[in-house]
Amino acid sequence: MSIDPTYAPPEEMRELVHYMPFCDIFTPNLQEAVALTGLNDPLAIINKIEQLGAQFICIKAGSQGTYFKNEDNQLEHIVPPAVNVIDTTGAGEAFVAGLLYQILKQNRSKRESIKYATICGALACTKIGGPTGMPASSDVSQLLTTE
């Protein structure tokens, strides 16, 4: 199961703990992760959510990038490419779509999947609106090869 929460007050966010034992992929943004755990450090947040039972946690931090633990159990941080931001609507959804596509369909590593997803989120910001901002795979691949 994959969970990409929507921000709610901390007492409501904490209800998610009941679902963590069933969660394979958890992709909160930093604000949501702080509300859920009461912690501020990305590594501490990821460790806490792992203790709750989630298997793979990516903390989205907007233009600051994404935090996750790699296959060696080390914290990694991937910074998105610089883009001309027009509208951030749908960036998180584009990130999750790219992540799931890479993990489930392409069988990529965590790092490769998050790099791809981060580019998806960044490219979604270059157009107005959620659905219209979703990047094509060819656009993501082109940006991947230039980095």
Side-chain angles (χ1 to χ4, degrees), residues 1-4 20 22-28 46 49-51 53-59 66-71 73-74 76 78 95-96 98-100 102-104 108-115 117:
M1 173 172 59
S2 171
I3 300 175
D4 182 33
M20 291 301 106
F22 311 104
C23 184
D24 298 300
I25 301 169
F26 187 54
T27 57
I46 291 170
I49 296 171
E50 283 179 339
Q51 289 172 359
Q55 300 299 307
F56 178 36
I57 301 104
C58 305
I59 300 175
T66 307
Y67 297 92
F68 68 101
K69 281 170 64 175
N70 62 25
E71 286 82 0
N73 215 26
Q74 300 296 312
E76 283 201 44
I78 293 182
F95 175 94
V96 173
L99 179 68
L100 294 176
Q102 288 295 296
I103 290 174
L104 301 174
R108 302 278 192 230
S109 71
K110 289 179 180 180
R111 185 171 214 301
E112 291 173 310
S113 298
I114 291 176
K115 186 160 182 65

Side-chain angles (χ1 to χ4, degrees), residues 81-82 115 119 123 138-147:
K115 186 160 182 65
I119 291 172
L123 288 176
S138 58
D139 295 333
V140 178
S141 296
Q142 181 179 358
L143 200 50
L144 267 172
T145 59
T146 61
E147 291 217 328

